[in-house]
Amino acid sequence: MNNEFNLRLNKIEEILKAYLPQTTNSDWQNLTFGDLDSCINDSHISMLSNPCNHIISLGGKRWRPLLLVLTAEMTSQSKKNNINIDNAYNLTPLVEFAHTASLIHDDIEDCADTRRGEPCIHITYGTDVAINAATWLYFQGTTCIEKLNITAEEKIQLYKLFLTELRLLHLGQAMDIKWHRNPSLIPSTEEYMAMVRNKTGTLARLAVKLGILAGGGTNQESLEAGLIAQDIGVGFQIIDDVINLTSGNPGKKRGDDIVEGKKSLPVLLHLKKNPNDISILSDLFNQAKNEGIESSAVEKAIDLLTNSGSIEDARLLGNQLIASKTKELINIFNTKTEAQILIENLFNKLQK
């Protein structure tokens, strides 16, 4: 990231820490919980905050909250309305906390063991604590809405927007779970894309919708930009699928999607070319699930997908989707602003 990004990212980190501090204070507690019984103390609240702080402190690209801020800047600059975009920064917990909560739940549902190079939150803190803390974190993000200096009607609009996207996120996850629980069940590529638009694309969609509104854009502009942004999220999920089967995602093990039975795009593209391989891949998925990440079935499955060219086909498709949708997004306003250039640079840097 260049210095212009770092300045914004540092400010985003300050906002995230304000809404999820390492050490709680009375103002934060009152905003989060309201009046509490006198017997409730930090040891109780830490059962929620500590696991969430732990995973957030491990890093992450933070491209979603950065996209929110840059979209607000793009909108304000394009409309020349001189809006103070502090509201955009203050909305970033909605996106990043929801993303973080989904990672904790996703690792539990996938029986994963590592995240960002360390044991998953449910392994470190226990599954019961992890489920509860992650669920709380979804709601904790909404406390930022209460602090905005906007009308009650505008706050209601933000709540509706956030909750709708959150429901769609869980629908996408439900589709993914349905497929990876049954090794022989193969979705169509259309079903896969619909699943990813919600499971992954929804938070990119949310970031851009919030950014447009925070920058003074209209509801229609927010809707149109969100539909574009969701496919940028799809592109990044496809690239993640590819990385999982090649170099391995940072902090994860190469091929753990095979162990989890993920019907990722490389798998679907391979089966489209080689429909008779469905029983072979199903058997490899089952073997990997039973034997774990060290199973020989993992590398056999990866070799099969590599040799058919399906992994490379998926990589090209993912990068093409990111590039084309980024151009659509920055051209939604017929201007050429600094923020539009930065959005383009951001996604150029993130492509693999």
Side-chain angles (χ1 to χ4, degrees):
M1 296 289 182
N2 62 28
N3 189 51
E4 290 175 310
F5 289 149
N6 288 334
L7 290 172
R8 292 168 174 84
L9 287 167
N10 289 339
K11 190 169 180 178
I12 288 169
E13 291 301 318
E14 290 176 6
I15 295 294
L16 297 180
K17 289 176 182 177
Y19 287 98
L20 188 61
Q22 293 286 343
T23 304
T24 61
N25 56 70
S26 58
D27 288 342
W28 178 84
Q29 287 186 28
N30 186 60
L31 176 65
T32 301
F33 301 109
D35 292 332
L36 291 173
D37 292 328
S38 59
C39 62
I40 296 177
N41 57 48
D42 286 349
S43 70
H44 304 121
I45 296 172
S46 67
M47 296 290 285
L48 298 171
S49 60
N50 283 1
C52 300
N53 263 316
H54 184 163
I55 187 170
I56 287 176
S57 71
L58 296 178
K61 298 184 183 73
R62 305 282 197 264
W63 68 263
R64 296 167 185 85
L66 181 56
L67 176 61
L68 191 164
V69 169
L70 291 174
T71 303
E73 291 181 10
M74 174 182 72
T75 305
S76 180
Q77 290 169 9
S78 297
K79 292 178 174 291
K80 300 180 180 179
N81 57 22
N82 296 317
I83 282 181
N84 185 326
I85 63 158
D86 281 350
N87 277 354
Y89 280 100
N90 284 313
L91 284 169
T92 56
L94 283 175
V95 177
E96 193 63 22
F97 287 179
H99 171 60
T100 304
S102 72
L103 296 182
I104 297 173
H105 281 165
D106 198 40
D107 286 340
I108 295 169
E109 291 159 355
D110 292 342
C111 300
D113 55 7
T114 58
R115 169 70 65 177
R116 295 175 175 169
E118 290 196 10
C120 292
I121 295 301
H122 66 278
I123 292 176
T124 300
Y125 293 89
T127 300
D128 50 355
V129 171
I131 291 172
N132 193 52
T135 303
W136 168 78
L137 191 58
Y138 283 122
F139 301 120
Q140 178 62 14
T142 64
T143 58
C144 69
I145 296 175
E146 291 305 309
K147 295 202 70 173
L148 296 178
N149 186 23
I150 57 177
T151 67
E153 289 77 13
E154 288 170 326
K155 288 182 179 180
I156 290 171
Q157 180 186 15
L158 293 177
Y159 276 115
K160 286 182 176 179
L161 171 57
F162 174 72
L163 292 172
T164 298
E165 297 296 350
L166 212 58
R167 290 192 290 267
L168 288 168
L169 184 153
H170 284 78
L171 172 60
Q173 180 70 347
M175 295 170 73
D176 195 20
I177 291 170
K178 176 181 174 65
W179 300 329
H180 80 236
R181 289 183 67 172
N182 185 343
S184 62
L185 184 59
I186 307 297
S188 66
T189 53
E190 292 78 14
E191 286 176 306
Y192 168 87
M193 296 295 278
M195 178 273 289
V196 180
R197 283 191 190 101
N198 291 317
K199 178 180 176 179
T200 306
T202 190
L203 293 181
R205 188 167 62 226
L206 174 62
V208 165
K209 284 183 173 181
L210 292 171
I212 293 282
L213 295 175
T218 66
N219 290 334
Q220 185 59 35
E221 289 167 341
S222 172
L223 178 63
E224 291 175 5
L227 291 175
I228 297 168
Q230 69 182 8
D231 284 337
I232 296 176
V234 171
F236 280 116
Q237 181 59 60
I238 293 171
I239 297 303
D240 274 353
D241 292 346
V242 168
I243 293 172
N244 183 278
L245 299 171
T246 52
S247 60
N249 298 98
K252 305 283 280 185
K253 296 178 180 177
R254 165 182 154 108
D256 62 357
D257 278 358
I258 302 296
V259 177
E260 294 164 12
K262 292 281 186 179
K263 308 302 165 49
S264 63
L265 190 61
V267 172
L268 301 183
L269 293 178
H270 177 88
L271 291 175
K272 195 170 184 178
K273 296 179 185 178
N274 307 279
N276 293 332
D277 281 355
I278 185 170
S279 59
I280 297 173
L281 275 173
S282 181
D283 288 345
L284 291 173
F285 278 143
N286 273 322
Q287 182 182 344
K289 180 180 180 180
N290 292 330
E291 297 176 355
I293 194 65
E294 303 302 328
S295 172
S296 62
V298 172
E299 291 304 321
K300 288 179 181 177
I302 291 174
D303 286 345
L304 195 65
L305 302 176
T306 301
N307 292 335
S308 71
S310 300
I311 294 177
E312 186 57 28
D313 288 346
R315 186 198 306 276
L316 291 173
L317 195 154
N319 282 328
Q320 288 168 0
L321 195 57
I322 295 168
S324 64
K325 292 300 177 178
T326 298
K327 287 184 179 179
E328 284 188 43
L329 179 61
I330 64 176
N331 289 327
I332 198 165
F333 298 112
N334 190 24
T335 54
K336 194 67 173 179
T337 66
E338 176 192 3
Q340 286 166 302
I341 295 170
L342 288 174
I343 290 172
E344 189 170 30
N345 290 344
L346 170 66
F347 291 129
N348 283 338
K349 287 177 181 293
L350 291 172
Q351 287 185 64
K352 300 291 183 180

